[in-house]
Structure formats: C-alpha cells, structure tokens
Amino acid sequence: MTAAILRVSYTESGGFAGLVRSCRLEAAALAAEERALLEQLVAAAGLTASCECLSEQSRDSRTYEIVIEWETIQIHTVFDEPSLPAEVRPLVGFLRERARPGMPT
Amino acid sequence: MRDSGPSCGRQPLSCIIPPFLLERMAESGDAVARRRAVVDLAQATAVYAVRDLVRSMPTFLATPSPGCCRDRLVYDARGRDDLPGRLARREGDRPGKDPAVNEAYDYSGATYDFFHTLFGRNSLDDAGMSLISSVHAGEADGEGYQPMNNAFWNGSQMAYGDGDGVVFERFTRSLDVVAHELTHGVQSFTSNLVYRGESGALNEHFADVFGVLVRQWHQAAAATKGERPPRSWLVGAELVVPAQTRRAVRDMQHPGTAYVDDPLLGTDPQPAHMKDRYRGSADRGGVHINSGIANRAFVLAAEALDDEPWETAGRIWYDAMLEIPSRAGFEDAARITVRIARDEHGAAVAKAVRAAWKAVGVTVPAARKPR
Ligand SMILES: [Zn+2]
C-alpha cells in the first residue's frame, strides 16, 4: 500500500576521510517504480523507534543518520558501520547511490 | 573481531535507545512495548556499567605478543568483513607478493619503531601487544560485499580496504594513514578521548599528528643526505587518486584545502579557526571536521620551533596525549600542552605553543607569577 507521505533524509559522515554526503527523498516526487522500491526498503528496514546506535570502541567508522517521516510518524536513527543492522543495509545502499557531497540542505 | 552489528535493543553494548524514549515506552498502554522497554531499560543500566568498564580497562581487549617486543600479524580479509581473516604474514616472515600485506607489515613496523625509539613505548598498550592488521577488508552492501572504501581501528585491530579506485586507492598506501589508525590504538590504552564533539576531534587530532610525524620521521631516516623530500603536512596524499580538485584527505597546515569543488568529494569541510567550527551533529559532532583547528595549532607550534617536528613539539603532544582527560576539549588541550612545554622545555617553547593555539582562536591565560 502506498503511503500518503514518505520522506527520507540521509546523511553519511565520518570514515577515515571524514566525508559528508547526503540526500533527501520525497517519495511523491519519485518515479512510480523508484517510489515502490523506497517504500519496500523502508518497510524491510524495520526501523520502528528512534535510536542512536554507535560503537564505543571503533574509530573512523562511517556514521549513517536516517530520518524517516512516514504519515505523522518521525523516526530518527543514527548507526555506524559496526552497528548497522543487516536489514537496514539495503536501504542504506539505495540512499548512498543518491547521496551527493555536502550536508543536507 | 568486529564490533557486533545488531538491531537496536537486541545487542545492547553498541545500541542505545535514548532512556527518555524507553521510559515513555515503559509507561505505554501497549503491553508488548511496555515489556520490551522495561527489559531494555534494565539492560541499558548494565550496558553503561560494561561500557565504563571497557573505557577504564581497555587492556582486556589486547592480544599479548608471544615475545617481549615488536610483533606484527597481517591478515587477508579476502573482501569480507569478518575480521581478521586468513593469516598472510607474521613477524619475521619474508615479504610476499601482495603489496597491501607488505605495506601493512612495514608501516605498522615503522609506527612501532617511532613510538619505541622516541618515547620508549612498547606497542599500543606499552606492554608488547601484537599489532594486528587486516587488508582487503570488504563491506556488506545488502546484496554482497564490495571493497571497503575506508580504514578503521575497531578497538583491537586495524582494518584497511582496497578503495573504490575512483577516489581512493588501497588505504595501506599511505604511511600516515596506517600510523593514524595505530595512534587510535595508543589512545585507547591511554587518554581514550570520548569519540564525540571536541574530545572526539582531539582524538582525531592526535591520530593525525602522530600519523604525519611517523611519516616525516621515517622519510628523514630513509633519505640519504640531500635527498630528503620537503616537509609535508598532508594526510593521505598517496591514498587519493590524483585529480586537479584533490591532493590529499586533509591538510594539517591549511585545513579546508585538501580538496576543493571536487565532483565526488565536494570541498574539504575542515575549519582552521574556532570561529568557523562545525556545530552540527554529523560525524559524531564533527570529529574529523573540527580536528582541523587543533591540527593547525600543532603545525604552527612545530614550525615555530627550530628542531624536527617529532622532537620538541612531538614530545609535548605525546606527553599531552597520555595525560589528557577523556572528556577534554580544545581549551584543555591548549592548557596542558602549554604547561608541559613550560615545565619540560622552558618559557620560550611555552610561548610558541601558546601563540599557536591563540592563532586558531584558543586562548590560554598566562601563568600568574608567584608573589
Ligand atoms: Zn581517525
């Protein structure tokens, strides 16, 4: 089922190089096929609560910040490479392909 | 060996749902959510205790070397992320055909030698810990694995990717990158600066300082008379695929200029002065961004002194790295380095260090004269 409102903001930062890349996707502005894929990946990621999951010991791991606005719900998650759940990786892969250098606007 | 990679709430050591949110869920009318939140709250309390223990006792993560001194182990992760992988070269083995294995071996040796020769330090833990490196590390992308476009220290070993070949070459190509990762290891056994905000930027700063000093020291030792390369404060110059818009990953002398308007990297975000410091949440509060401020202070101090950077300035920063509190900020770092400079090297050196920090916007009050 298609959500009335789905926005996803993504910021990837850190890593040894400290590069920042980001994107903000509005499902309604995407082509039907891409929109369906985004909805599917968001659902499969299973992010049901805001959380910050960062490794205490790791240094120079990449950090992934994902904000999902779905209808009236907003979920804000922060992971790093060691803590990124397997089920979220396909969504991150999708977002990484669309991210561009720089902070989110 | 890698940190565990769980979903929130399943593996509490690396996973923190904010306590306020858990408390709200615990008060929820939904029985399942309430039960889950109560369990998570109980786990969170235990987790903080474990995390504090890990922070205060990193030595239990160390792999002791079989002998008394330098002991290198280089593994081939074969494009996967389950570290360390297959052993490819151990201490004393002859070089093989794989340049990444040989670079990890040689450069971790150079880093060991630097800390041992100049500061009498016996490995990362100062107790002869084995230096474990994995090369050809991969990263999962949801469908399979691709070459990792990164290098990291995971709390007990180093891992290096082969890069994407477009922006980055293999990460073992730069001695200063290898020494940077190993310096994170030294810090995890000493100050263990909290990896967030200003203390995290200082953690990155010390890793850059000793990364570059190891390279400069190694280049000076290897050069025959008259053939020494000009002093460089670039980090990761050998790592980047050459292009007109990029020349390194960072420039300690001129932060913010390592790459400019690069179509794939953008523009180097490092500030060179406190007035321009990054205040956002990305990169754990800018640990790789605001480190530029302290990096420039170090270069200004080192260049103001009339010896090699690893001598007086390096010694001051090494002593500071050992004693700085884990939650220190830039003002603390400035105060501590100025005090060490004054106590160990005299008023003229202290004046140069104080001036260096002042030039980047960090002021250290002059010591009061005794009455
Ligand atoms: Zn680092």
Side-chain angles (χ1 to χ4, degrees), chain A residues 15-16 59-60, chain B residues 151 180-181 184 195 203-204 207-208 250 288:
Chain A
F16 172 80
R59 304 287 180 258
D60 294 325
Chain B
H180 173 112
E181 296 308 331
H184 278 310
Y195 205 53
N203 197 317
E204 277 303 312
D208 273 350
R250 285 183 280 280
H288 296 87

Side-chain angles (χ1 to χ4, degrees), chain B residues 25-91:
Chain B
M25 286 163 67
E27 291 162 7
S28 145
D30 181 317
V32 175
R34 195 169 59 236
R35 198 164 55 239
R36 170 75 179 276
V38 168
V39 170
D40 282 355
L41 270 170
Q43 285 179 335
T45 308
V47 167
Y48 291 126
V50 171
R51 282 166 48 196
D52 285 347
L53 185 67
V54 167
R55 188 177 289 136
S56 62
M57 294 179 61
T59 44
F60 74 65
L61 298 172
T63 303
S65 76
C68 63
C69 37
R70 193 171 75 174
D71 182 52
R72 290 164 286 179
L73 299 168
V74 182
Y75 292 81
D76 183 349
R78 294 181 286 179
R80 308 279 297 226
D81 64 356
D82 42 347
L83 303 180
R86 184 178 60 188
L87 185 61
R89 190 174 173 191
R90 68 171 76 230
E91 187 67 41

